Amino acid sequence: MEILNNQDSLWYFLPESVLILTFVVILLFDLPENWSKNRLLAPIVATIGTVLFLALSFYTQQFPEAITFHGMIINDAFTDFFRLFAGLTALITIFLSLKSKEVAQVRAEYWALLVGITLGIPMLAASNNLLMIYLALELISILSYILVGYLHNTKTSSEAAVKYVLYGATASGVMIYGLSLIFGVTGTLNAIEIRQFLISNPAEQLALFIGLLMTLAGFGYKISMVPFHMWAPDVYQGAPTPVTAFLSVGPKAAGFAILLRFIYTALTQDQGGVYVPLKYIDISTLMAVFALATMTLGNFVALQQTNIKRFLAYSSIAHAGYMLMAAAALNTEALRGVIFYMISYLIMNMGAFAVAIAVINDSGSEELSAFKGLGNRGRKGALAAVAMTLFMVSLTGLPPTVGFVGKFYLFSAVIEAKIYWLAVLGVLNSVVSLYYYAKIIKYMYFEEAKEQKPFALTGFSFPSLIVGLAAATVFFGIFWNALSYLTEISAHLLM
Amino acid sequence: MSGFDILFFVFAGFALVSAMGVVVSPNPVYSALSLVLTLFSVAGLFLLLQAEFLAVVQVLTYAGAILVLFVFIIMLLNLSDFELMEVRMGNLGKALLTLAAVVAFITLAFVVHLTRITGDPAVEGFGDISTLGREIFTHYVIPFEIAGVLLTVSLIGAVMLAKKNLTKE
């Protein structure tokens, strides 16, 4: 294990530096009067910056794994994966934002802020220090508040932003108190040193447990874990749809990354692929209970939703529950499973949001009833309906889609960890989710549309994105070897 | 009881009472002023711990700049008494929430009281500016820079949200 000093660490920080630079450049480009008139300039710069970020993260990925900046940040395969993930999510979001009518007239700051959140995701996933965790989490949170309230002439957007800020501020307050308790008990901010301290010293069990619970409030809020999920439906509904799509994938994955890194690094001991919880805290059972509560609540409340964004919000809470099983299973298979699941979730959820944006563009309505009869509304309608069907099947977790493979990996990790009750209840939960995902399919094919005019999905690029995501859903559902290889090399934590 | 102890209890007592004042006071101006007092008392605690720089910064930025801004905003919004009184919650709800807060407080106080705080003794020259500066620009340089990014984006965001017309003509 090598801890690098600041100078040597700079090379590892190259991809993130590019994002910071892009952020500044976008803001500067907006200053000259005749430049700011060009609507495409800022998104193009943002895209170039993100692509450069991806390219550089492939470059830094070849460096030996190291702990950089005096133990603040860890550069391992896990971090590399989240750089890739953040870059891809950002690119799709930039594209969706260009296509959505809701944010058609945004100014350059919107793109700058998107780049800012993209910076926060790998920073959070790589944090090894409680201070760094807090700062990266706040970076993501504050930018999310602003983007959610971006359409501040609409009432729902402002309301969502205010709710998000209030919940978020409370959650960070609770979390930072919890972090201070952990610091008080262990005397260090460094996650690796926390583990070393806990192994060799009798820690104050009660204070540690309460500190941990309070810290989980902060992480749990980011990933919408029950009981810290209350903000999600309102925020997802009120935010501009592309922002909702981004929030449900990018920041959520970052929250999972740090939750898993913190639990695996600070609270367990690696014994050949099985991470044994340290003697004081049964983190496994605790997270299993949270996982079950999260997926059950998400699935059952999703049954009654009539708004597509609220519907996808509860669906994303349910998926957070499935991914939380990885924090309960505590083995390498679980890490691999959750990484696979995140990729599949990126594909299918972004796909579902892309179709939702197309439907909202077409009908101006966010109600589920806008999907009625979509399959019979011309060629474009049929295309969107087929794609949506695939995304829904994948979100349910049925073969031959990528969602099935993701669930398969996760559940097998849980069985490997011998938490059978969680696996059984998780599968039952998937059955419940079939009902509401199938409802959309039924709306699209077996119900009459209000207006029979052909579905408006113009241009070439937007339909291609939807088709591409749908194709990826099926392709990786059948040939998952490539993804499986990626997860295998990524599921490595330097600790 | 030494002078240190007496000062500690004075500052801690003031901090607790004024923090209660922030929560209990129905008038937001009084709340903000209580918060000033809380921050001053905490600054006093920092002084007792020989963190002079932290104490001064606390008074200058928090008690000075930020709280003045709070009071300005509260005054500018000019909330009428009626709006201030309106809390949409029954007495039972209030009672339960108060009970929950009290239980949480007692639990935390109990936990903190029982906990043996560990950690290394403070570094040589703790609390003076040169040590702080050296630490910030060596061990903590990356959090420092990220905090800079964080403040920049917050500033831009605040301006953005305050602007009336965000869309281009």
Side-chain angles (χ1 to χ4, degrees), chain B residues 18-168:
Chain B
S18 52
M20 280 287 281
V22 178
V23 184
V24 186
S25 162
N27 187 331
V29 179
Y30 292 165
S31 286
L33 293 177
S34 305
L35 195 53
V36 176
L37 197 57
T38 314
L39 293 169
F40 263 109
S41 321
V42 176
L45 291 177
F46 285 152
L47 266 184
L48 286 182
L49 293 171
Q50 296 177 5
E52 296 90 0
F53 182 69
L54 205 57
V56 171
V57 168
Q58 165 104 349
V59 170
L60 279 182
T61 49
Y62 279 92
I66 293 179
L67 254 301
V68 169
L69 212 62
F70 275 19
V71 175
F72 259 122
I73 291 167
I74 294 166
M75 299 281 197
L76 282 175
L77 285 178
N78 195 18
L79 301 169
S80 67
D81 289 342
F82 177 71
E83 283 168 320
L84 294 176
M85 297 296 281
E86 190 190 30
V87 178
R88 281 187 237 126
M89 194 186 288
N91 277 333
L92 183 67
K94 273 188 203 167
L96 282 179
L97 277 183
T98 313
L99 189 69
V102 169
V103 169
F105 177 77
I106 292 174
T107 318
L108 277 178
F110 184 66
V111 166
V112 174
H113 179 69
L114 280 185
T115 305
R116 196 164 32 84
I117 300 295
T118 49
D120 305 327
V123 290
E124 190 71 31
F126 170 79
D128 74 39
I129 305 173
S130 61
T131 317
L132 193 74
R134 200 161 41 241
E135 282 295 307
I136 280 184
F137 285 102
T138 53
H139 283 106
Y140 293 94
V141 70
I142 196 84
F144 179 70
E145 297 294 339
I146 293 300
V149 175
L150 180 62
L151 290 176
T152 316
V153 296
S154 316
L155 193 71
I156 292 164
V159 173
M160 244 175 71
L161 289 185
K163 269 192 82 154
K164 281 281 183 298
N165 185 16
L166 279 172
T167 51
K168 289 177 186 172

Side-chain angles (χ1 to χ4, degrees), chain A residues 296-359:
Chain A
T296 312
L297 184 128
N299 279 326
F300 277 91
V301 185
L303 293 175
Q304 309 145 14
Q305 299 309 314
T306 55
N307 176 298
I308 179 69
K309 280 151 92 179
R310 282 186 93 81
F311 170 88
L312 286 169
Y314 280 107
S315 141
S316 100
I317 293 176
H319 284 276
Y322 299 132
M323 287 191 259
L324 269 173
M325 294 195 305
L330 296 176
N331 48 34
T332 314
E333 283 78 20
L335 271 184
R336 288 186 55 186
V338 78
I339 287 174
F340 196 102
Y341 204 88
M342 273 177 198
I343 308 171
S344 67
Y345 186 68
L346 166 71
I347 298 170
M348 59 201 185
N349 210 46
M350 278 296 184
F353 269 106
V355 177
I357 287 173
V359 169

Side-chain angles (χ1 to χ4, degrees), chain A residues 358-386:
Chain A
V359 169
I360 294 169
N361 278 350
D362 171 69
S363 63
S365 151
E366 293 181 358
E367 294 301 302
L368 282 184
S369 55
F371 280 88
K372 281 185 181 167
L374 187 64
N376 308 321
R377 290 175 53 188
R379 252 180 51 227
K380 290 285 173 61
L383 180 98
V386 169

Side-chain angles (χ1 to χ4, degrees), chain A residues 149 165 206 229 254 274 342 363 433 463 486:
Chain A
V165 171
L206 184 64
H229 66 285
V274 179
M342 273 177 198
S363 63
S433 72
L486 177 70

